[in-house]
């Protein structure tokens, strides 16, 4: 699937995945398809502002999707 996630890559045998930030609800749905149930955001507030990422909105979407 093509999305702003660009690439989701599993690290070895672990259930740890790396990827870009979700662009919205449709991308969070893709995370659910992969069985991802938690997210760690490593971007600074400045980076999120530069990319117009609404972290509070994403947190609500994650919660609604049991992530």
């Amino acid at each position: 699937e093509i999305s702003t996630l660009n690439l989701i890559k599993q690290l070895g045998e672990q259930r740890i995945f790396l990827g870009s930030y979700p662009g919205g609800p449709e991308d969070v749905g893709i995370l659910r398809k992969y069985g991802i149930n938690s997210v760690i955001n490593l971007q600074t507030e400045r980076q999120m502002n530069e990319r117009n990422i609404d972290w509070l909105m994403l947190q609500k979407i994650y919660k609604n999707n049991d992530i």
Side-chain angles (χ1 to χ4, degrees), residues 9-63:
K9 185 170 186 161
Q10 186 170 359
L11 299 177
E13 300 295 320
Q14 302 298 315
R15 290 191 32 85
I16 298 173
F17 295 81
L18 293 178
S20 184
Y21 62 92
E26 63 283 349
D27 288 342
V28 175
I30 294 169
L31 296 177
R32 288 285 296 156
K33 285 183 185 178
Y34 277 88
I36 293 169
N37 59 12
S38 60
V39 172
I40 298 173
N41 180 7
L42 301 177
Q43 296 186 23
T44 65
E45 188 171 339
R46 179 179 174 185
Q47 290 170 324
M48 289 187 294
N49 288 336
E50 289 171 352
R51 293 172 175 87
N52 295 317
I53 299 170
D54 185 341
W55 182 240
L56 293 177
M57 177 199 67
L58 282 173
Q59 286 179 311
K60 289 177 185 176
I61 295 169
Y62 291 142
K63 185 175 182 175

